[in-house]
Amino acid sequence: AILRKIQSITPEHPLAVDTHESVTASGVRRWQEWTDRGLFDAEGKLVELQSTGRDVTDALLARAALEDSEERYRLLFDGNPMPMLVYDLETQRFVAVNDACVKQYGYSREELLRMTVSDLAVPGDPYYQVFLDGLGKPRPPVLHVGLRQQVRRDVAGVCAFVREHDHLAWARIGVRLDG
């Protein structure tokens, strides 16, 4: 493996980086990242190899923990039976919606991701203006918004019990058919 790495170093590509597992004298497994730089003469012959190594175990463990956490969050979000929407605080545009949200509101995921919070607001909802007035102001980490009406594609409205956590909104939805 080392010989192949050295042979891969050329005047056009003088750097090679490799990460591999090693075992310390005390038997502890660690990960090392080695960067090798080839120095070449005028004819392109390798005349010197400079190598630096560093322990990247903590960084790899942190990355693996983050990926695991993101996967668990994604599974909780996507598999949650409650409709969930995540919106950008600046634009109020939805940046993520789960399958339950798609099913409840009757819009496709792509349609919802092109929408903003105001697109789901029922005209005349007095609490929507309170929501708008509160944007950008300091708020507790979890905010109980209360009962809200929101627009659904196939009915006049749905009643949504909304709670916000920073910019994550979730809702327990009950459909009210008008007419």
Side-chain angles (χ1 to χ4, degrees):
I2 295 173
L3 183 58
R4 275 196 309 268
K5 183 178 176 188
I6 293 171
Q7 289 171 338
S8 74
I9 297 173
T10 65
E12 295 80 21
H13 301 284
L15 283 177
V17 179
D18 180 39
T19 302
H20 64 272
E21 189 176 21
S22 63
V23 180
T24 66
S26 62
V28 177
R29 295 189 178 277
R30 304 295 291 179
W31 286 90
Q32 296 179 340
E33 179 181 84
W34 285 90
T35 302
D36 299 312
R37 175 185 294 277
L39 300 177
F40 297 86
D41 64 16
E43 288 82 41
K45 180 180 176 188
L46 181 64
V47 294
E48 185 176 337
L49 187 63
Q50 298 175 341
S51 298
T52 57
R54 64 187 183 115
D55 186 325
V56 293
T57 305
D58 292 341
L60 290 177
L61 291 174
R63 183 181 311 142
L66 177 61
E67 289 171 358
D68 182 57
S69 175
E70 289 173 343
E71 176 67 11
R72 283 193 321 267
Y73 170 80
R74 188 189 63 74
L75 290 172
L76 286 171
F77 181 81
D78 289 342
N80 195 318
M82 303 301 295
M84 296 181 69
L85 309 104
V86 178
Y87 62 90
D88 181 283
L89 285 173
E90 296 292 321
T91 66
Q92 290 84 53
R93 183 165 304 283
F94 296 119
V95 295
V97 298
N98 68 356
D99 290 340
C101 183
V102 170
K103 183 177 177 182
Q104 180 61 45
Y105 285 94
Y107 296 98
S108 71
R109 183 178 312 276
E110 293 75 24
E111 288 173 311
L112 284 165
L113 293 175
R114 287 192 301 267
M115 297 170 81
T116 65
V117 173
S118 67
D119 293 324
L120 294 182
V122 171
D125 178 0
Y127 297 107
Y128 181 65
Q129 189 58 49
V130 173
F131 163 78
L132 290 177
D133 293 343
L135 289 174
K137 294 181 181 173
R139 307 187 315 178
V142 177
L143 178 65
H144 171 71
V145 176
L147 191 62
R148 295 272 314 275
Q149 289 189 9
Q150 294 179 316
V151 175
R152 189 175 131 156
R153 168 173 267 167
D154 58 348
V155 291
V158 296
C159 293
F161 181 78
V162 178
R163 181 171 299 225
E164 295 181 355
H165 183 272
D166 293 330
H167 65 279
L168 172 67
W170 64 269
R172 184 168 62 240
I173 306 294
V175 178
R176 186 189 79 226
L177 299 173
D178 290 337

